[in-house]
Amino acid sequence: MNRDSRYLESILHHDIPLTRDMGLKVLDWQAQQLRLQLPLDANVNHKSTMFGGSLYCGAVLAGWGWLHLRLREEGIEDGHIVIQEGQISYPLPVTGDAQAICAAPEDKVWKKFLAMYQRYGRARLTLHTRVVNAGSSDDAVLFAGQYVLHR
């Protein structure tokens, strides 16, 4: 685990205590992609698969964490990140540990977001997270979240 991953995991566990109970771990932050891990045993439902609410939470947190780390790289530490809206689908069950993966938006979208924030002190960004069963590349969950950054 690199320094950024350890930093983010400590922020999540401190600021959002639920993440400790969920067993959430930050796997890595590289090439502007964030990967989180959710263990099945802490997030299991009555069907022995992962609880949909845990998956939603993991997807939201992957986007929140992505934005937190990316802003830190830009030297922007005066903002507050909130989720404003989210759309989720669950095409496959999660039958083991899960990985939530959030990748960078298009560069022009990111640049516009930064410009809006610097000009108005408030900006909105849509981030996409996919959740896969550990060891698989098939999408079990697809999430699009609209995050707001404000001063």
Side-chain angles (χ1 to χ4, degrees), residues 69-145:
L69 289 175
R70 193 65 189 86
L71 287 167
R72 189 167 175 244
E73 287 180 351
E74 294 281 347
I76 298 172
E77 299 193 26
D78 64 344
H80 302 280
I81 303 165
V82 294
I83 181 86
Q84 182 179 50
E85 189 177 327
Q87 297 84 37
I88 195 161
S89 64
Y90 302 90
L92 294 172
V94 174
T95 56
D97 293 347
Q99 289 184 11
I101 304 158
C102 184
E106 288 182 37
D107 201 44
K108 66 181 182 186
V109 171
W110 176 248
K111 284 186 166 59
K112 182 179 177 191
F113 168 79
L114 287 178
M116 293 292 285
Y117 181 68
Q118 283 154 353
R119 174 178 265 180
Y120 301 109
R122 182 178 173 87
R124 180 181 302 133
L125 181 67
T126 298
L127 293 172
H128 295 271
T129 295
R130 46 193 288 268
V131 180
V132 298
N133 280 282
S136 172
S137 61
D138 297 334
D139 295 334
V141 174
L142 295 168
F143 175 79

Side-chain angles (χ1 to χ4, degrees), residues 39-51 54:
L40 178 63
D41 60 356
N43 298 285
V44 72
N45 66 16
H46 63 291
K47 299 280 191 185
S48 299
T49 60
M50 195 165 292
F51 174 57
S54 292

Side-chain angles (χ1 to χ4, degrees), residues 1-2 12 15-16 19-20 22-23 25 29 39 58-59 61 63 67 72-73 80 85 109 127 142 144:
M1 185 188 295
N2 66 25
L12 289 170
D15 292 357
I16 306 171
T19 60
R20 290 193 305 263
M22 293 175 68
K25 298 266 181 256
W29 167 251
L61 289 165
L67 188 49
R72 189 167 175 244
E73 287 180 351
H80 302 280
E85 189 177 327
V109 171
L127 293 172
L142 295 168

